[in-house]
Amino acid sequence: MQYQAEVIIELKAGMLDPEGTTVKRALEHLGYEADSVRTAKKYTIVLKADDIHSARENVEEMCQKLIANPIIHNYSVSLREIE
């Protein structure tokens, strides 16, 4: 079976987010009010696995080994079967 995983990587609370800070300042210069701006990355991964449980395990391993740095990032995974 084939699955599509969406992985969202965000900085943990308390970590500096210079890109978010820059966007917040730019928004303020344009006249918008924002209490805070935080950035995140989204990865879309298509993979084959025997079942959704195996697919989730594979994506979790990908995140822990390469995609996310557990010291500074939180991540979330959503999966769906595709044809």
Side-chain angles (χ1 to χ4, degrees):
M1 298 183 142
Q2 202 168 35
Y3 296 91
Q4 180 175 308
E6 288 188 355
V7 179
I8 305 293
I9 309 292
E10 299 175 299
L11 289 167
K12 288 186 175 183
M15 299 303 301
L16 295 177
D17 185 351
E19 188 175 358
T21 301
T22 300
V23 171
K24 181 181 182 299
R25 284 189 195 135
L27 289 171
E28 289 169 349
H29 287 305
L30 293 172
Y32 297 102
E33 290 186 32
D35 291 335
S36 68
V37 176
R38 303 284 294 171
T39 59
K41 290 183 181 180
K42 175 183 170 184
Y43 294 88
T44 302
I45 304 168
V46 176
L47 69 151
K48 291 182 180 166
D50 293 333
D51 55 44
I52 198 162
H53 178 73
S54 297
R56 181 169 297 281
E57 283 182 353
N58 287 337
V59 174
E60 288 283 341
E61 283 182 22
M62 291 174 195
C63 290
Q64 293 169 8
K65 290 182 178 181
L66 179 69
I67 297 173
N69 178 344
I71 295 171
I72 63 169
H73 294 129
N74 289 322
Y75 66 89
S76 62
V77 176
S78 61
L79 278 169
R80 67 181 180 90
E81 187 177 338
I82 58 175
E83 295 181 24

